[in-house]
């Protein structure tokens, strides 16, 4: 079956309970073929939806990543997740939000980009943007990655896609 998925860009994502933010950003929709999601057989990190893991990325390679703001009452956390199996930034976001929203958390993707992770050279670079969610705050991304990657040279750039 050939499925087409609509992705909202700009504006705020409505929460799972049917509400949404009433901000003045322009709302646009893009269509993507295939319906997205994780490819069959793709390995998913056991930390993908763990709130105590601020960052979780693939051990090496170049891949998409997202920043996700999670709130539950007064508690707020920002998670960074990046995986090579994701064809779209939204694939990662949906995997995380699906689990956490069932646990009572509201999840909002606040941007995306790409990560180049060279584990042998102990280097990580955050760069680029997501067409669906905009540019992640790469400086914040570096802050989230640093505790889990001691001894790494972690940089960021607003260049590239």
């Amino acid at each position: 079956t050939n499925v087409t998925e609509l992705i909202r860009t700009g504006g705020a994502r409505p929460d799972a309970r049917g509400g949404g933010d009433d901000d003045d950003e322009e709302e646009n929709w893009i269509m993507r073929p295939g319906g997205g999601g994780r490819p069959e057989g793709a390995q998913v990190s056991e930390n993908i939806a763990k709130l105590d893991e601020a960052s979780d990325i693939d051990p090496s390679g170049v891949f998409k990543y997202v920043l996700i703001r999670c709130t539950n009452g007064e508690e707020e956390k920002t998670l960074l997740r990046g995986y090579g199996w994701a064809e779209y930034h939204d694939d990662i976001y949906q995997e995380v939000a699906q689990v956490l929203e069932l646990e009572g958390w509201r999840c909002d993707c606040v941007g995306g980009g790409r990560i180049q992770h060279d584990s042998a050279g102990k280097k990580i670079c955050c760069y680029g943007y997501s067409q669906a969610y905009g540019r992640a705050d790469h400086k914040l991304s570096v802050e989230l990655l640093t505790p889990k990657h001691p001894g790494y040279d972690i940089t960021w750039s607003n260049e590239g896609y």
Side-chain angles (χ1 to χ4, degrees):
T1 309
N2 189 3
V3 177
T4 300
E5 180 177 20
L6 287 174
I7 305 227
R8 189 164 87 151
T9 64
R13 178 186 172 275
D15 69 26
R17 295 169 293 284
D21 295 332
D22 294 327
D23 58 7
D24 293 330
E25 289 185 49
E26 183 178 335
E27 181 178 303
N28 297 304
W29 292 84
I30 59 173
M31 294 175 59
R32 72 176 192 198
R38 178 172 27 96
E40 189 173 324
Q43 294 295 317
V44 175
S45 168
E46 64 185 36
N47 295 326
I48 191 167
K50 287 187 177 176
L51 288 164
D52 59 343
E53 294 288 337
S55 69
D56 188 53
I57 62 173
D58 276 352
S60 65
V62 176
F63 44 85
K64 290 177 172 67
Y65 87 95
V66 293
L67 289 179
I68 303 169
R69 183 184 313 116
C70 305
T71 54
N72 189 346
E74 296 295 315
E75 192 172 0
E76 182 174 314
K77 296 180 180 269
T78 300
L79 305 178
L80 182 151
R81 298 293 184 262
Y83 307 108
W85 55 257
E87 185 176 355
Y88 300 99
H89 291 92
D90 190 59
D91 296 338
I92 300 168
Y93 171 70
Q94 293 300 328
E95 287 281 334
V96 175
Q98 184 176 9
V99 173
L100 293 179
E101 288 177 352
L102 289 174
E103 296 174 6
W105 289 84
R106 177 188 168 135
C107 298
D108 293 298
C109 187
V110 295
R114 286 182 169 51
I115 288 178
Q116 183 173 12
H117 184 184
D118 173 7
S119 56
K122 295 189 119 183
K123 294 180 181 181
I124 296 175
C125 182
C126 303
Y127 66 96
Y129 62 93
S130 162
Q131 288 185 342
Y133 294 112
R135 185 179 319 279
D137 179 346
H138 299 312
K139 186 175 179 183
L140 173 60
S141 301
V142 169
E143 292 172 17
L144 294 171
L145 288 163
T146 298
K148 202 165 178 182
H149 298 89
Y152 268 68
D153 178 22
I154 305 177
T155 60
W156 63 274
S157 169
N158 282 333
E159 301 300 316
Y161 165 66

